Amino acid sequence: MTNIPRTHPRYESLKIREKLSKGFREGLVHETGLIAHGRGEAFDYLIGEQTIPIADIAAKTAAALLLKSQHPIISVNGNVVALTVDECIDLANSIPAEIEVNLFHRDIKRVRKLVDTLIEHGAEKVYGLNADMRIPGLEHDRGWCEKEGIYSADTVLVPLEDGDRCEALKAMNKKVITIDLNPLSRTAQMADITIVDNVTRAIKNIEKWIYRLRDEDSAALDEIVGSWDNKNMLGEVIDFISNRLEGMYYGST
Amino acid sequence: MTNIPRTHPRYESLKIREKLSKGFREGLVHETGLIAHGRGEAFDYLIGEQTIPIADIAAKTAAALLLKSQHPIISVNGNVVALTVDECIDLANSIPAEIEVNLFHRDIKRVRKLVDTLIEHGAEKVYGLNADMRIPGLEHDRGWCEKEGIYSADTVLVPLEDGDRCEALKAMNKKVITIDLNPLSRTAQMADITIVDNVTRAIKNIEKWIYRLRDEDSAALDEIVGSWDNKNMLGEVIDFISNRLEGMYYGST
């Protein structure tokens, strides 16, 4: 797996997998993160391992919402850091937003490793180690967050998140942007803006839109965010996948 | 994850995942096996985590072919043993067939662990440790197999297999039955009979059909195998998934 030829039809996907395996061996990624990644791979395969047009519009809408927000936070877990540490830091700087480490399987050693990795890669401030508040409705260790971080954020970008956390953040009246390759997941359906795309493409894509939209006035940003219909978009993704599946089989794609 | 309530809508899927994680910690499962399992989970989710009617007919056809075979072998890897060790042994006894351990990432320590696990669970004879022949066309360690095992088999049941191995076995004029949740995979498309189902359901289901068909005469078995159209069946699975996706979204399923 270490010498994947560039000509391999699934070169990018295999390189991403290699990066995740590396993160796993370094203790950044939980073993269930490997399984979750596999699920994502399957859905990415179904959309053709590409940013589909509606996901680009979702990224644009996410960028508009992040620019409008007073206190946006990017919530990261092991998979996100392993796959997109630099992209997350660049995105955070461009908005600007802050970063908080939040894990499904909270483990202080792994939180520390992830925070250290982000700092080594140039992040200025990373929340997560000093979790002092709880997100209501999330049991056990999953509910911990920082008062100055996610707890007081108005908008949270939560890539690769679980449905419960998404729901709990919504219940706190926060705006939630998620990146989820499964258009039918609870997260995808609960979020205000769901980007159905691979996190390795989506984070960079949001940043691109941050730069394109940063000089727009507040009314223009409102217009973009206001015209977004997340439920309708998910239907378009489903149609895209159905058509593509049939096309792959019958050879018309 | 250790106390999943039975009422959880994805209880079975989560129990299966737990079994695989256990296999990983015991050294039976390779880390890439976790990712592969996640891919399977996504496709299983798309078919509704159930044996769809066409997969039941595929299992019936597989049983007929196994009963007709002179020297059928069940080829198992880490995931298959971790998830279905007892089911594989029961199926092998019912046909009867033999079992051979074959790994994508061959590692003699892991082969030994898998063979030992099968023996502990009651398998009488397991090939794989004394690999003395090569499957032409498979590079490096992946090509090793046993002369009395897969090398001389007329039919190989290869659940959760890679496309290359499936192709190489076909090139040796063997009949190949596979269990693969991705109807578009190269394995699914190369095999003589593809059972698009979760391995935990499919192995038991083939065994059910072995018992139902074992008293049929050769002509009846030929009739079942001869009427199977694998390519056409894969199209039916694609249609099933497309319709189900639309149904899940639009609420008609």
Side-chain angles (χ1 to χ4, degrees):
Chain A
M1 204 69 94
T2 37
N3 282 308
I4 307 157
R6 279 195 173 272
T7 50
H8 193 290
R10 303 194 49 256
Y11 175 79
E12 282 299 331
S13 177
L14 295 172
K15 289 303 282 184
I16 295 170
R17 192 191 292 177
E18 216 170 47
K19 226 171 163 175
L20 191 78
S21 285
K22 185 167 168 280
F24 173 71
R25 289 188 298 269
E26 292 171 357
L28 300 177
V29 171
H30 190 267
E31 70 184 49
T32 56
L34 295 178
I35 299 177
H37 182 76
R39 282 203 304 285
E41 270 189 5
F43 283 104
D44 202 12
Y45 170 90
L46 292 177
I47 60 168
E49 292 165 356
Q50 60 184 324
T51 298
I52 65 176
I54 192 77
D56 192 45
I57 303 174
K60 175 185 178 180
T61 311
L65 177 57
L66 288 164
L67 285 169
K68 272 171 48 80
S69 301
Q70 298 304 308
H71 186 193
I73 292 264
I74 303 174
S75 172
V76 299
N77 64 16
N79 284 30
V80 172
V81 171
L83 295 179
T84 57
V85 58
D86 294 320
E87 291 87 339
C88 282
I89 295 167
D90 289 345
L91 175 61
N93 290 338
S94 74
I95 299 169
E98 281 160 325
I99 297 175
E100 178 161 337
V101 173
N102 262 278
L103 304 184
F104 188 92
H105 300 278
R106 191 174 171 87
D107 156 6
I108 195 68
K109 250 180 68 184
R110 195 152 68 88
V111 172
R112 186 168 292 120
K113 262 194 186 160
L114 290 164
V115 170
D116 288 349
T117 302
L118 283 153
I119 301 282
E120 277 164 27
H121 281 255
E124 283 172 28
K125 165 86 192 149
V126 181
Y127 294 105
L129 265 178
N130 306 307
D132 47 3
M133 294 296 279
R134 294 188 61 84
I135 301 168
L138 286 183
E139 84 283 11
H140 309 308
D141 288 346
R142 290 170 56 203
W144 288 110
C145 67
E146 286 204 32
K147 189 177 176 186
E148 302 297 320
I150 283 177
Y151 194 80
S152 55
D154 54 352
T155 298
V156 190
L157 168 61
V158 279
L160 314 185
E161 203 40 77
D162 63 291
D164 289 344
R165 188 183 303 270
C166 184
E167 193 169 353
L169 292 170
K170 288 286 298 170
M172 289 173 85
N173 280 321
K174 299 181 192 304
K175 293 283 182 190
V176 175
I177 302 164
T178 194
I179 301 169
D180 190 332
L181 280 157
N182 176 2
L184 292 160
S185 77
R186 212 148 49 84
T187 305
Q189 300 190 346
M190 290 292 304
D192 294 288
I193 302 168
T194 302
I195 305 170
V196 182
D197 203 1
N198 192 303
V199 69
T200 63
R201 297 187 298 267
I203 301 273
K204 281 188 279 200
N205 207 28
I206 303 172
E207 190 191 347
K208 171 194 84 183
W209 281 109
I210 292 288
Y211 287 113
R212 287 195 191 170
L213 296 177
R214 70 185 331 160
D215 297 326
E216 299 288 337
D217 60 22
S218 182
L221 297 178
D222 283 342
E223 165 71 25
I224 293 169
V225 174
S227 63
W228 181 250
D229 179 339
N230 207 58
K231 167 91 180 149
N232 193 47
M233 175 282 297
L234 291 173
E236 282 193 39
V237 175
I238 303 285
D239 290 343
F240 183 93
I241 292 175
S242 290
N243 290 334
R244 194 163 176 282
L245 269 173
E246 300 281 351
M248 281 170 85
Y249 177 73
Y250 294 104
S252 60
T253 292
Chain B
M1 203 70 93
T2 36
N3 282 308
I4 308 157
R6 278 194 173 272
T7 50
H8 192 290
R10 301 194 51 255
Y11 175 79
E12 282 299 331
S13 178
L14 296 172
K15 288 303 281 184
I16 295 170
R17 192 192 292 178
E18 216 171 47
K19 227 171 163 177
L20 192 77
S21 286
K22 185 166 167 281
F24 174 71
R25 289 188 299 270
E26 293 171 354
L28 299 178
V29 171
H30 191 265
E31 72 186 47
T32 57
L34 295 177
I35 299 177
H37 182 76
R39 282 203 304 285
E41 271 189 5
F43 284 104
D44 201 13
Y45 170 89
L46 292 177
I47 59 168
E49 293 165 356
Q50 61 184 323
T51 298
I52 65 176
I54 192 77
D56 191 43
I57 302 174
K60 175 185 178 180
T61 312
L65 177 57
L66 288 164
L67 286 169
K68 270 172 49 78
S69 301
Q70 297 305 308
H71 186 193
I73 292 265
I74 304 173
S75 172
V76 299
N77 64 16
N79 285 31
V80 172
V81 172
L83 295 179
T84 57
V85 58
D86 294 320
E87 291 87 338
C88 282
I89 295 167
D90 289 345
L91 175 61
N93 290 338
S94 74
I95 299 170
E98 281 160 324
I99 297 175
E100 178 160 338
V101 172
N102 262 278
L103 305 183
F104 189 92
H105 299 277
R106 189 174 171 88
D107 156 4
I108 194 68
K109 249 179 67 184
R110 196 152 67 88
V111 173
R112 187 167 293 121
K113 262 193 187 162
L114 290 165
V115 170
D116 288 350
T117 302
L118 284 154
I119 301 282
E120 279 163 26
H121 281 253
E124 282 173 30
K125 165 85 191 151
V126 181
Y127 293 105
L129 264 178
N130 306 307
D132 47 3
M133 294 296 280
R134 294 188 61 84
I135 301 168
L138 286 183
E139 84 282 11
H140 310 310
D141 289 346
R142 288 170 58 204
W144 288 110
C145 67
E146 286 204 32
K147 190 177 174 187
E148 303 296 321
I150 284 177
Y151 194 80
S152 55
D154 54 351
T155 298
V156 190
L157 168 61
V158 279
L160 315 184
E161 202 38 77
D162 63 291
D164 289 343
R165 188 183 302 270
C166 184
E167 195 169 351
L169 291 170
K170 288 286 298 170
M172 289 174 85
N173 281 320
K174 299 180 192 305
K175 294 285 183 188
V176 176
I177 301 164
T178 194
I179 301 168
D180 190 332
L181 280 157
N182 177 0
L184 292 160
S185 77
R186 213 149 47 84
T187 305
Q189 300 191 347
M190 291 292 304
D192 294 288
I193 302 168
T194 303
I195 304 168
V196 182
D197 202 2
N198 193 304
V199 70
T200 62
R201 297 187 298 267
I203 301 274
K204 278 188 279 200
N205 207 27
I206 302 172
E207 191 192 347
K208 171 194 83 184
W209 281 109
I210 292 288
Y211 286 113
R212 286 196 191 169
L213 296 176
R214 71 185 331 162
D215 297 327
E216 298 287 337
D217 61 22
S218 182
L221 298 178
D222 281 343
E223 165 72 26
I224 293 169
V225 175
S227 63
W228 181 250
D229 180 339
N230 207 57
K231 167 91 180 149
N232 192 49
M233 174 281 299
L234 291 173
E236 282 193 39
V237 175
I238 303 286
D239 291 343
F240 182 93
I241 292 175
S242 291
N243 291 334
R244 193 164 177 281
L245 271 171
E246 299 283 350
M248 282 170 85
Y249 177 73
Y250 294 104
S252 61
T253 292

